[in-house]
Amino acid sequence: AGGLNGSCGACPPGTYSGARGATACAACPEHATTPSAGSTLVSDCACTAGYAGGIAGASDACAPCPAGTYAAAGAQECEACPGNATSAPLSTNASACVCPAGSYRDGAGCSSC
């Protein structure tokens, strides 16, 4: 996954070196990336938007946010849509939460028409 190709240098985004002097880069877990090039620890990896979880080790994973929830990049947990609003799976922000048919957004939740 990406690599230093046997020489010293910064690992590209989405990878980390794992150790000082490493000559290869390791990929972040699936659905995770690093904020910039040059990461050295797997814990520098963070879940991409629509996924949530903590990355402390190479075996950790980002879980997809189910319908009715959302997560911004780097979220540790999926956030529930307010009230009885729902969202599509893998939603990335609260604006993806919509009220069911026959209702409208009313402050923090949904109200019947």
Side-chain angles (χ1 to χ4, degrees):
L4 299 174
N5 298 322
S7 64
C8 292
C11 289
T15 66
Y16 61 97
S17 64
R20 183 176 292 286
T23 57
C25 298
C28 287
E30 188 174 13
H31 305 296
T33 191
T34 56
S36 60
S39 293
T40 58
L41 303 170
V42 68
S43 59
D44 292 338
C45 300
C47 296
T48 56
Y51 293 83
I55 305 295
S59 62
D60 290 333
C62 296
C65 290
T69 68
Y70 63 94
Q76 297 288 313
E77 296 180 2
C78 299
E79 297 286 333
C81 287
N84 60 342
T86 192
S87 64
L90 305 178
S91 291
T92 60
N93 57 53
S95 64
C97 299
V98 295
C99 293
S103 63
Y104 64 95
R105 195 88 180 244
D106 179 22
C110 301
S111 295
S112 298
C113 293

